[in-house]
């Protein structure tokens, strides 16, 4: 029983991490109709920016805000300078550009900061919370809390603000949007900027758990993809629920299904992606997208 | 005229006589009267580039050897290429070293997957492949691969040494193991189980593995704690070692913790994990750590520091990798000196496989290097050390793996 509860707690904690990155993936997909494979590396790079600021003696929350702003500008610039020129190219070209971006950011971080792991501070108090025999890390609870807050923010933004609605419109029907006066190009850039912000927050939440290094997001990105696919790429709520489900499933299957054990944990995530795509391609919470061709 | 030719003939005859008396100079490609060419690959770029300092330190050591007159008057030409820790690239670079640069031998090529990729090739081409920079056990295979030899204590030896210690000092052990699910992790676990012998099944209560792509090992640590294990054998690379140390402390698991030497760097592992969390961890050592206060006044360490300052000033004076490079380069110089004027590939291997009780200044006292035609494991002794919150404190005597 104790094992079960502790594994559930730990699964929720990693689920929170997957969910935070999955949110960024969903964000960019909703805003620009692109699946961004470089999302993890962008988040990693933002986290290094935060680390640099912290190392220079900037207080945590100031560094946090500065990183968020810098990441927003960075995301914007990436869209303007790199994605823009291939905007009208086939989807495969955009995917390749994203993968190129992934490799470049990864090597750049390694070149600048080296591959040695670095500790990254958590804004939450270090003392774990004990409920009976089950231990919750305060940072884990913080991750879950902040992820839910981001979700709420996104929900409100996309549903109730004119800017959010304009962004959705621009992604779903660029031609009509342009006709009603929405600057579609800028909406796309804004989408990249906001996704970079979500990624930066995710990175700063992840780094205290997995330690900061250039490859810290590579494993997490796969789980984030599984989460977003499971929940539905069109639904922020789905991405978060998906994240928690993947985190918990992974731990329970690894612990209680001897055949799978810890050796095939990652495989579970991949099977999940394929399974969802086969049975319900739009995910648990997603809408089926209908396109006129 | 006749006299002149006669004189020349005399010189020739004399020269021949001297040649016969002292053994004629014999050379394979890469060696001559003035030069010995040595090839190497290292990850100067890419994810494993923190090892790149080894290649630079080797070059610095050979520079010193050359300044002091070389080996029997021959200068060492050390050619080191970047392979980025990527096996296909290693193959390309090693072919370049062998076929274009025509090196006499390959030395200290770095990495297990990278050396595996060139293993068959160099043995087919009969190129000495000496003192490879990896702890895998498979490099000691004189029958199947007579041209390849390791250097550092291999993973199985290290695993056996921890097992020996547990059998002697921790009879009540209930052991939990966390290992990386690949050749490296399994190598350690095999040595460890061999060392425990028929007790292995009784003593080991749980084995957990992880993949190098996993984000965390937290789930595994929880399972190990709940298995009731009171001894923890931790076979993980730095990132996961740090996670494991921190998570164990967080959930209040306090086993006797054996940490593989792959991850016993204070800066790269213990400090990120939290020095307090790491207190009491046991690991194994064979080199002198220049930061260890007990070697502060050791002449060998001072000499090493002087060498670093003079020949490798841009290198990190706290990095044990630079001690490693210094010592392995000394071993090669020892072998080449013993080769004398017979710088053939076969003789290089013959000399490398007949080292007897060689001590090196930066090896821990009591550790010696021994090889034979059937023993391709140069270093097989280690000493245990316990982390006291700021540094490793060596204890007990030097332990042999067999």
């Amino acid at each position: 029983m104790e094992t079960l509860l502790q594994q559930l707690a730990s699964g929720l904690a990693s689920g929170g991490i997957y969910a935070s990155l999955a949110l960024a993936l969903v964000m960019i997909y909703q805003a620009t109709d692109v699946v961004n494979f470089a999302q993890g590396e962008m988040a990693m790079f933002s986290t290094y920016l935060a680390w640099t600021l912290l190392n220079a003696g900037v207080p945590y929350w100031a560094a946090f805000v500065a990183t968020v702003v810098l990441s927003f500008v960075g995301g914007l610039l990436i869209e303007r300078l790199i994605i823009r020129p291939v905007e009208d190219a086939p989807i495969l070209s955009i995917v390749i550009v994203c993968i190129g971006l992934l490799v470049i950011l990864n090597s750049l971080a390694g070149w600048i900061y080296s591959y040695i792991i670095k500790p990254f501070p958590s804004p939450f108090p270090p003392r774990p919370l004990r409920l009976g025999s089950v231990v919750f890390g305060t940072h884990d609870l913080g991750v879950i809390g902040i992820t839910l807050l981001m979700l709420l923010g996104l929900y409100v933004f996309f549903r109730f603000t004119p800017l959010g609605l304009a962004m959705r419109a621009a992604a779903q029907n660029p031609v009509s949007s342009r006709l009603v006066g929405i600057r579609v190009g800028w909406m796309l850039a804004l989408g990249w900027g906001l996704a970079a912000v979500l990624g930066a927050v995710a990175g700063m939440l992840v780094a205290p758990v997995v330690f900061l290094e250039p490859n810290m997001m590579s494993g997490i990105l796969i789980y984030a993809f599984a989460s977003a696919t499971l929940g539905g790429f069109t639904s922020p709520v789905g991405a978060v629920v998906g994240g928690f489900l993947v985190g918990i499933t992974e731990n329970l299957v690894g612990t209680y299904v001897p055949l799978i054990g810890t050796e095939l944990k990652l495989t579970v995530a991949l099977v999940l992606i394929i399974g969802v795509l086969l049975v319900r391609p739009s995910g648990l919470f997603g809408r089926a997208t209908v396109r006129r061709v | 005229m006749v006299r002149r030719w006669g004189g020349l003939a005399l010189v020739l005859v004399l020269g021949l006589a001297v040649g016969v008396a002292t053994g004629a100079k014999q050379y394979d490609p890469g060696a001559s009267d003035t030069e010995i060419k040595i090839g190497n690959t290292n990850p100067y770029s890419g994810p494993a580039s923190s090892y790149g300092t080894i290649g630079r330190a080797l070059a610095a050591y050979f520079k010193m050897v050359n300044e002091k007159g070389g080996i029997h008057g021959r200068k060492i030409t050390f050619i080191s290429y970047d392979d980025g820790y990527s096996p296909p690239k290693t193959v390309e670079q090693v072919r370049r070293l062998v076929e274009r640069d025509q090196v006499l031998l390959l030395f200290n090529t770095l990495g297990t997957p990278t050396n595996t990729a060139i293993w068959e090739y160099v043995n087919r081409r009969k190129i000495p492949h000496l003192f490879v920079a990896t702890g895998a056990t498979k490099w000691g295979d004189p029958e199947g691969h007579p041209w390849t030899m390791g250097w550092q204590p291999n993973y199985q030896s290290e695993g056996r040494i921890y097992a020996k210690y547990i059998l002697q000092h921790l009879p009540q052990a209930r052991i939990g193991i966390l290992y990386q699910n690949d050749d490296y992790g399994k190598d350690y676990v095999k040595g460890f189980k061999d060392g425990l012998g028929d007790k292995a099944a009784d003593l080991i209560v749980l084995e957990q593995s992880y993949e190098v792509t996993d984000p965390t090992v937290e789930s595994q640590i929880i399972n190990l704690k709940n298995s009731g294990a009171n001894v923890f054998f931790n076979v993980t690379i730095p990132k996961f070692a740090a996670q494991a140390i921190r998570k164990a402390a967080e959930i209040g698991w306090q086993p006797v913790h054996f940490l593989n030497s792959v991850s016993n760097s204070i800066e790269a592992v213990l400090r990120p994990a939290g020095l307090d969390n790491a207190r009491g961890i046991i690991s194994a050592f064979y080199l002198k750590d220049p930061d260890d206060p007990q070697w502060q006044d050791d002449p060998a360490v001072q000499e090493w520091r002087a060498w670093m300052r003079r020949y490798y000033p841009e290198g990190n004076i706290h990095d044990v990798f630079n001690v490693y490079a210094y010592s392995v380069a000394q071993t090669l110089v020892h072998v080449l000196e013993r080769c004398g004027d017979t710088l053939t590939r076969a003789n290089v291997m013959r000399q490398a496989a007949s080292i007897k009780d060689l001590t090196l200044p930066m090896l821990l006292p009591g550790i010696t290097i021994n090889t034979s035609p059937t023993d391709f494991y140069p270093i097989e002794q280690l000493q245990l050390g316990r982390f006291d919150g700021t540094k490793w404190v060596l204890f007990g005597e030097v332990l042999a793996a067999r």
Side-chain angles (χ1 to χ4, degrees):
Chain A
M1 192 60 190
E2 192 195 324
T3 306
L4 176 68
L5 290 176
Q6 190 67 60
Q7 288 291 6
L8 278 174
S10 158
L12 273 176
S14 20
I17 288 174
Y18 307 153
S20 61
L21 192 62
L23 263 184
L25 287 173
V26 166
M27 166 81 214
I28 215 160
Y29 185 76
Q30 278 217 306
T32 67
D33 233 8
V34 169
V35 174
N36 180 12
F37 287 91
Q39 191 75 60
E41 308 310 282
M42 283 167 59
M44 174 274 295
F45 210 84
S46 299
T47 316
Y48 268 113
L49 289 180
W51 181 84
T52 312
L53 291 171
L54 288 169
N55 244 26
V58 181
Y60 185 90
W61 290 109
F64 186 93
V65 172
T67 304
V68 163
V69 172
L70 284 174
S71 304
F72 180 76
V73 176
L76 217 67
L77 286 179
I78 287 178
E79 201 280 338
R80 286 274 121 168
L81 300 176
I82 300 174
I83 305 297
R84 197 108 232 255
V86 290
E87 198 182 8
D88 296 323
I91 187 74
L92 207 58
S93 310
I94 300 180
V95 168
I96 299 287
V97 168
C98 286
I99 291 176
L101 200 58
L102 180 161
V103 176
I104 290 171
L105 286 175
N106 185 291
S107 311
L108 208 58
W111 183 54
I112 302 174
Y113 299 103
S114 93
Y115 289 85
I116 292 173
I117 61 168
K118 296 181 166 58
F120 191 89
S122 162
F124 307 103
R127 205 143 35 83
L129 215 69
R130 280 170 210 283
L131 290 175
S133 56
V134 181
V135 183
F136 281 97
T138 34
H139 180 79
D140 299 339
L141 294 175
V143 171
I144 296 172
I146 291 188
T147 306
L148 292 177
L149 270 181
M150 287 201 296
L151 172 63
L152 186 71
L154 271 191
Y155 178 79
V156 171
F157 178 76
F158 274 124
R159 185 141 288 208
F160 298 114
T161 66
L163 189 59
L165 290 170
M167 279 174 67
R168 272 169 66 191
Q172 280 170 17
N173 197 336
V175 178
S176 309
S177 307
R178 204 165 279 125
L179 288 177
V180 298
I182 296 172
R183 296 182 63 182
V184 173
W186 269 108
M187 291 302 126
L188 297 183
L190 223 55
W192 273 79
L194 284 179
V197 166
L198 293 180
V201 175
M204 286 184 277
L205 294 178
V206 168
V209 181
V210 302
F211 296 106
L212 180 57
E213 49 118 9
N215 298 315
M216 76 168 185
M217 282 299 193
S218 56
I220 294 171
L221 187 68
I222 298 175
Y223 286 102
F225 268 116
S227 312
T229 317
L230 178 63
F233 254 98
T234 50
S235 158
V237 179
V240 170
V241 174
F244 288 129
L245 282 179
V246 169
I248 292 172
T249 314
E250 174 204 15
N251 272 15
L252 294 188
V253 168
T255 306
Y256 293 108
V257 185
L259 188 69
I260 292 173
T262 42
E263 293 192 2
L264 295 178
K265 268 170 68 171
L266 186 64
T267 317
V268 171
L270 298 173
V271 167
L272 218 56
I273 293 182
I274 294 176
V276 171
L277 288 179
L278 283 177
V279 178
R280 203 184 143 82
S282 51
L284 295 178
F285 292 79
R287 287 166 285 103
T289 35
V290 183
R291 236 171 258 253
R292 193 173 307 179
V293 282
Chain B
M1 198 66 179
V2 172
R3 208 178 294 152
R4 250 178 82 189
W5 282 110
L8 190 60
L10 190 68
V11 168
L12 275 175
V13 168
L14 272 177
L16 258 176
V18 170
V20 169
T22 58
K25 295 174 180 174
Q26 283 184 42
Y27 298 122
D28 268 348
S32 70
D33 282 349
T34 53
E35 172 181 55
I36 302 173
K37 265 197 212 173
I38 297 171
N40 170 272
T41 55
N42 244 268
Y44 296 110
S45 65
S49 56
S50 58
Y51 291 120
T53 188
I54 293 175
R56 293 191 191 96
L58 292 175
Y61 192 84
F62 294 132
K63 193 171 149 214
M64 181 190 75
V65 170
N66 288 343
E67 272 184 23
K68 292 189 172 165
I71 294 172
H72 299 311
R74 297 178 182 89
K75 297 272 152 80
I76 291 176
T77 305
F78 181 66
I79 309 171
S80 180
Y81 292 130
D82 181 19
D83 66 358
Y85 208 74
S86 154
K89 201 113 184 261
T90 315
V91 172
E92 185 188 320
Q93 301 289 39
V94 163
R95 292 184 77 112
R96 182 168 154 202
L97 286 165
V98 170
E99 287 160 33
R100 202 169 77 190
D101 301 324
Q102 304 243 323
V103 297
L104 177 68
L105 60 99
L106 293 165
F107 168 60
N108 206 237
T109 43
L110 191 141
T112 304
T114 43
N115 274 299
T116 303
I118 58 170
W119 200 20
E120 299 301 335
Y121 169 75
V122 298
N123 276 278
R124 209 168 47 238
R125 294 289 303 248
K126 299 189 172 33
I127 312 288
H129 182 209
L130 286 181
F131 311 139
V132 292
T134 128
T137 309
K138 61 181 174 188
W139 311 122
D141 174 25
E143 278 190 15
H145 299 87
W147 297 87
T148 301
M149 191 185 285
W151 187 73
Q152 71 208 69
N154 61 71
Y155 299 147
Q156 287 189 24
S157 294
E158 193 184 328
R160 269 200 299 276
I161 280 171
Y162 297 128
K164 256 188 177 175
Y165 180 86
I166 290 170
L167 286 179
Q168 274 174 19
H169 296 94
L170 302 163
Q172 305 298 316
R174 291 191 305 280
I175 305 168
I177 304 177
L178 174 66
Y179 68 96
Q180 185 162 311
N181 188 23
D182 62 8
D183 283 358
Y184 137 72
K186 289 175 182 168
D187 217 14
Y188 262 111
V189 173
K190 178 176 188 308
F192 187 70
K193 286 185 177 167
D194 287 351
L196 292 174
D198 45 16
K199 294 240 176 69
D202 291 339
L203 294 179
I204 298 172
V205 292
L206 186 64
E207 292 175 44
Q208 293 271 288
S209 68
Y210 71 94
E211 303 296 323
V212 78
T213 45
D214 284 352
T216 74
V217 291
E218 299 200 342
S219 173
Q220 286 90 327
I221 297 295
I222 292 167
N223 288 338
L224 286 166
K225 181 198 179 196
N226 290 335
S227 72
N230 59 11
V231 170
F232 177 26
F233 183 34
N234 187 355
V235 187
T236 54
I237 58 172
K239 170 180 168 180
F240 296 105
Q243 286 184 7
I245 293 165
R246 196 189 46 198
K247 184 68 180 179
E250 186 185 295
I251 60 174
W253 184 38
Q254 292 166 317
V256 182
H257 188 152
F258 293 88
L259 176 62
N260 66 173
S261 63
V262 168
S263 294
N264 66 19
S265 157
I266 294 175
E267 286 310 311
V269 178
L270 304 189
R271 197 176 295 281
L275 294 178
D276 273 340
N277 299 336
R279 204 185 295 272
I281 290 179
I282 296 172
S283 191
F285 302 84
Y286 65 101
L287 293 169
K288 290 176 186 167
D289 177 350
D291 284 348
D292 186 338
Q294 73 163 308
W295 309 121
Q296 217 42 48
D297 301 318
D298 185 79
V301 173
Q302 282 171 352
E303 198 180 314
W304 174 82
R305 279 212 191 90
W307 165 77
M308 281 291 290
R309 270 195 295 271
R310 169 119 191 253
Y311 292 95
Y312 189 26
E314 69 277 21
N316 180 351
I317 202 114
H318 306 287
D319 192 339
V320 182
F321 284 153
N322 294 327
V323 177
Y324 166 87
Y326 181 80
S327 303
V328 74
Q330 287 175 332
T331 314
L332 182 71
V333 168
H334 172 83
V335 168
L336 290 175
E337 274 172 355
R338 284 171 33 126
C339 285
D341 287 335
T342 313
L343 286 164
T344 60
R345 288 171 173 160
N347 192 38
V348 167
M349 280 323 283
R350 207 174 306 128
Q351 300 306 331
S354 57
I355 304 176
K356 215 143 181 63
D357 290 331
L358 173 67
T359 57
L360 298 176
M362 290 303 275
L363 287 180
L364 290 177
I367 294 182
T368 56
I369 298 184
N370 282 291
T371 56
S372 78
T374 54
D375 173 14
F376 271 28
Y377 296 117
I379 303 178
E380 285 183 281
Q381 295 160 294
L382 287 154
Q383 191 172 12
L384 297 180
R386 193 180 276 118
F387 189 67
D388 73 351
T390 53
K391 62 181 186 304
W392 291 103
V393 181
L394 298 173
F395 66 91
E397 30 189 279
V398 166
L399 301 169
R402 35 180 93 185

